[in-house]
Amino acid sequence: MKFITTSLLLLISNLLFSQNWLANYQKAEEQARTEQKAMVVVFSGSDWCAPCIKLDRAVWQSESFAKASENWVIYKADFPKKKQNQLPNELKAQNEKLAEKYNPNGIFPLVVMIHADGKILGQLSYESISAEDYIQKIKKILHEN
């Protein structure tokens, strides 16, 4: 019974803190232009990159990021390596094309802030800081440009 209760609580908390990560980059670009919002694009290796996993747990899954990200269009370009986590070919090709443009050096994790017009505003990588401090760094880059 405790297991079921715990599982339900975890599921509900994940739903409450879920963000609007878009699965199609073209739609993300279109939304950014239409709504005149900046984009936050995250290059991640979700099943092999320890700093990516730490950043996901500490920042992307936080309540603070859920609130802050309402002001941005967010997209996660994931590059899993394990066979069971492979992405559909179309999504994999889309992410590889994005990496060529925004992450040619293959840095993981890499967070790229992009203006609605496509101009790169700045980049961040993993830092062992609180979600709130990380979000402030994103906001600073977005508001300086």
Side-chain angles (χ1 to χ4, degrees):
M1 185 66 167
K2 286 182 183 179
F3 176 75
I4 294 171
T5 304
T6 303
S7 296
L8 285 172
L9 288 174
L10 286 172
L11 177 64
I12 291 169
S13 67
N14 281 340
L15 292 173
L16 290 174
F17 299 133
S18 65
Q19 292 86 24
N20 294 320
W21 293 99
L22 297 177
N24 181 296
Y25 187 77
Q26 287 73 27
K27 288 183 181 179
E29 278 184 317
E30 184 179 312
Q31 182 179 339
R33 280 191 303 272
T34 302
E35 298 177 10
Q36 284 301 295
K37 289 183 175 181
M39 292 182 66
V40 176
V41 178
V42 178
F43 290 90
S44 179
S46 64
D47 65 2
W48 59 271
C49 169
C52 300
I53 294 165
K54 289 177 184 177
L55 192 60
D56 184 64
R57 289 180 183 152
V59 179
W60 311 139
Q61 292 182 27
S62 73
E63 180 180 1
S64 300
F65 185 75
K67 289 178 183 174
S69 67
E70 293 173 359
N71 300 309
W72 312 318
V73 175
I74 54 177
Y75 180 84
K76 192 178 289 184
D78 193 18
F79 292 84
K81 288 187 177 180
K82 293 180 181 175
K83 188 175 182 177
Q84 69 267 23
N85 298 333
Q86 290 303 300
L87 302 174
N89 288 335
E90 184 179 316
L91 186 55
K92 189 176 183 179
Q94 175 181 265
N95 290 349
E96 288 171 355
K97 185 176 176 183
L98 283 173
E100 288 175 17
K101 183 174 182 179
Y102 295 115
N103 191 6
N105 296 323
I107 298 168
F108 290 91
L110 182 66
V111 182
V112 183
M113 282 64 70
I114 304 169
H115 189 275
D117 66 8
K119 175 186 167 199
I120 296 175
L121 302 173
Q123 299 178 342
L124 293 171
S125 191
Y126 174 76
E127 293 185 40
S128 182
I129 58 178
S130 70
E132 292 76 17
D133 289 343
Y134 202 90
I135 292 162
Q136 287 306 313
K137 287 181 172 264
I138 293 172
K139 287 180 178 179
K140 183 177 181 195
I141 290 170
L142 295 175
H143 293 296
E144 286 178 348
N145 294 289

